[in-house]
Amino acid sequence: MKKKNELEFFAPDTNFPLEIPHADTGVSAGFPSPAMDFMETRLDINKLLIKNPLSTFYVKVNGNSMVNAGIKNGDLLIVDRSLSPENSSIAVCFIDGEFTVKRLLVEKDGLMLMPENEHYLPIKITEGNTFFVWGIVTHVISKL
């Protein structure tokens, strides 16, 4: 299902915990904290990031239309299909045979799919489009 400028979809395996060490005291953004020496609790990434396992998918981003929203080429989105779309939600949408990720802008005269990059144009949804919101982006996993 991979073509240039399309999104790649993956189903998460939530049958097993995905645990990593966790410092439950937080991390100082100022001076170092000695609490980092005592990371004894574990955090299950599946439970933290996936609220509705049966309706949640990972989607790999191909493209740069959402860079100003912190979504870059190669990032992994966590998308929940059970959530209802709302104005200004970032959503994975199906339009005229292709998937895209954009911010939803509900206006009195219709719906716009808004990129978060000035090099891309908004997409106005009309009655002539085949369109539906596939799911709502809940998290972005990005390499720094």
Side-chain angles (χ1 to χ4, degrees), residues 55-71:
S55 61
T56 299
F57 294 84
Y58 295 119
V59 178
K60 186 175 180 186
V61 176
N62 293 310
N64 292 303
S65 70
M66 296 298 288
V67 294
N68 294 334
I71 299 172

Side-chain angles (χ1 to χ4, degrees), residues 3-143:
K3 282 195 215 171
K4 188 178 179 188
N5 295 326
E6 285 191 359
L7 302 174
E8 294 178 67
F9 296 79
F10 306 92
D13 182 359
T14 58
N15 293 320
F16 302 98
L18 181 58
E19 294 180 340
I20 60 172
H22 171 64
D24 58 359
T25 59
V27 172
S28 173
F31 295 102
S33 168
M36 292 302 293
D37 295 333
F38 301 100
M39 286 194 291
E40 298 198 13
T41 60
R42 300 198 62 82
L43 179 71
D44 184 350
I45 296 296
N46 284 330
K47 287 183 182 176
L48 178 69
L49 299 180
I50 299 174
K51 302 298 180 210
N52 302 303
L54 295 177
S55 61
T56 299
F57 294 84
Y58 295 119
V59 178
K60 186 175 180 186
V61 176
N62 293 310
N64 292 303
S65 70
M66 296 298 288
V67 294
N68 294 334
I71 299 172
K72 303 179 298 297
N73 186 54
D75 284 353
L76 199 60
L77 306 177
I78 299 177
V79 180
D80 190 335
R81 296 194 70 195
S82 71
L83 299 177
S84 297
E86 296 180 8
N87 188 41
S88 83
S89 295
I90 295 179
V92 171
C93 302
F94 182 82
I95 179 168
D96 298 333
E98 295 184 16
F99 284 98
T100 188
V101 59
K102 298 287 184 280
R103 187 174 301 278
L104 302 177
L105 176 62
V106 179
E107 298 179 321
K108 61 182 174 183
D109 63 335
L111 176 66
M112 299 283 289
L113 302 182
M114 302 299 294
E116 295 278 346
N117 181 334
E118 61 275 0
H119 299 293
Y120 292 79
L121 296 174
I123 301 168
K124 181 164 182 65
I125 303 303
T126 67
E127 290 181 14
N129 294 116
T130 300
F131 172 80
F132 61 89
V133 174
W134 191 83
I136 302 300
V137 176
T138 59
H139 296 86
V140 179
I141 299 173
S142 181
K143 184 176 180 179

